Amino acid sequence: MTKHLYFSVRLQDAVHFIRVLTSHGITRYHLEPHDEHVAFVFHSVSAVRYTMLRHVFGADGKSRQSR
């Protein structure tokens, strides 16, 4: 398990990612504002969840967000 996992997105894209995470049943995270970005912070992430989150946020080198 990973202790903390962070993904930073533009403020205007945050709602999109909240909807995607909710549709996957992921609700255990919090948001931290950083200027015009928002950090999604996840705690105690399993290997499976880690892989899925990297895919959702386009950080796996395979997926690309169309936004």
Side-chain angles (χ1 to χ4, degrees):
M1 282 209 176
T2 325
K3 285 197 172 208
H4 292 87
L5 187 59
Y6 299 85
F7 293 99
S8 181
V9 300
R10 295 181 308 175
L11 188 56
Q12 58 265 38
D13 294 332
V15 172
H16 165 74
F17 285 107
I18 290 170
R19 287 183 182 144
V20 171
L21 292 170
T22 302
S23 73
H24 288 291
I26 300 170
T27 58
R28 297 186 61 126
Y29 61 88
H30 69 272
L31 302 175
E32 293 181 2
H34 294 283
D35 298 323
E36 295 189 18
H37 287 82
V38 174
F40 284 77
V41 182
F42 301 87
H43 299 280
S44 300
V45 178
S46 70
V48 172
R49 180 65 45 100
Y50 175 81
T51 300
M52 198 276 289
L53 287 171
R54 286 185 46 129
H55 181 75
V56 166
F57 284 96
D60 59 359
K62 299 174 190 170
S63 62
R64 293 192 62 114
Q65 296 296 324
S66 60
R67 299 182 63 65

